[in-house]
Amino acid sequence: MTLDNNEKAPANAGQEESGPRYTLEELKEHAEQLFSVTEEVLAGAFFGTQDKLFTVAEAHTKIEQFMKAKVD
């Protein structure tokens, strides 16, 4: 996964839904750079979805949902 120096998660969660898709491992390698979270947070947000490909925007949305989820 090559990243441009200024590539970040889009401000709008609906942006770039058809952009390049990456494996979970590729996203984990750049979790802090792209999403300002640790690999562990990304792993929690994507628990059970190991064999899929995601755009940066999809990953960002999934991480936001995970971080806002209620804990009982």
Side-chain angles (χ1 to χ4, degrees):
M1 174 177 184
T2 57
L3 299 173
D4 295 334
N5 287 339
N6 54 359
E7 182 178 354
K8 297 203 188 247
N12 226 350
Q15 280 183 303
E16 293 186 22
E17 289 296 328
S18 62
R21 299 177 99 55
Y22 303 102
T23 65
L24 189 53
E25 283 303 313
E26 289 174 312
L27 293 170
K28 279 183 185 179
E29 290 175 16
H30 302 283
E32 290 189 32
Q33 186 180 17
L34 289 171
F35 312 113
S36 300
V37 299
T38 63
E39 288 184 30
E40 292 81 8
V41 171
L42 193 128
F46 286 88
F47 181 75
T49 58
Q50 271 67 359
D51 295 334
K52 297 183 181 177
L53 299 175
F54 302 94
T55 64
V56 172
E58 289 169 338
H60 189 261
T61 299
K62 199 151 179 79
I63 291 167
E64 283 184 342
Q65 290 171 346
F66 176 74
M67 297 296 281
K68 292 178 183 177
K70 279 191 170 187
V71 178
D72 292 327

